[in-house]
Amino acid sequence: QVQLVESGGGLVQPGGSLRLSCAVVGSNSGHYGIGWFRQAPGKEREGVSCVFSSGGTIYANSVLGRFTVSRDNAKTTVYLQMTGLKPEDTAVYYCAHSTTGCGLRKDLYDIWGQGTQVTISS
């Protein structure tokens, strides 16, 4: 049973940086994509970024140039490096697992992490 464990959220000032981690536990292969999503209060969950098993990446326009997604060589942890953070980035961030590749649509993913809160405020 694959599980995703997120960490790294917190409170930072506008313009600051955070790195989120998503540990993939219980997978026997590295052939999966990992997506990052976020959900702000009262809003729908939206795709932020994703990384293919090959290392290829996709970003939402709202974070392009500020966020970087990566995965380690053993492909068991995926990171989301966030820089130039803005108040509108405040949300609960989720990572999700896909066996069909990678994209920003929720229906591509079959397993979700528990979420980690990111708050951008001065």
Side-chain angles (χ1 to χ4, degrees), residues 10-116:
L11 170 64
V12 296
Q13 294 186 340
S17 299
L18 274 176
R19 189 177 78 161
L20 305 183
S21 299
C22 175
V24 182
V25 181
S27 175
N28 294 323
S29 82
H31 299 293
Y32 52 80
I34 294 291
W36 285 98
F37 290 76
R38 65 187 181 187
Q39 188 165 20
K43 295 189 176 181
E44 293 217 2
R45 191 171 299 189
E46 62 173 357
V48 172
S49 181
C50 68
V51 58
F52 290 86
S53 59
S54 63
T57 58
I58 295 175
Y59 296 95
N61 288 337
S62 58
V63 305
L64 191 62
R66 298 189 298 124
F67 291 11
T68 303
V69 62
S70 62
R71 57 198 298 162
D72 68 6
N73 290 338
K75 298 182 180 179
T76 59
T77 302
V78 173
Y79 304 99
L80 184 67
Q81 179 70 48
M82 306 185 295
T83 63
L85 285 162
K86 306 175 182 180
E88 52 263 42
D89 294 318
T90 295
V92 177
Y93 282 70
Y94 300 88
C95 63
H97 170 282
S98 172
T99 57
T100 58
C102 154
L104 302 182
R105 292 184 359 241
K106 295 188 293 292
D107 63 358
L108 293 173
Y109 298 88
D110 55 352
I111 299 168
W112 293 79
Q114 81 283 2
T116 185

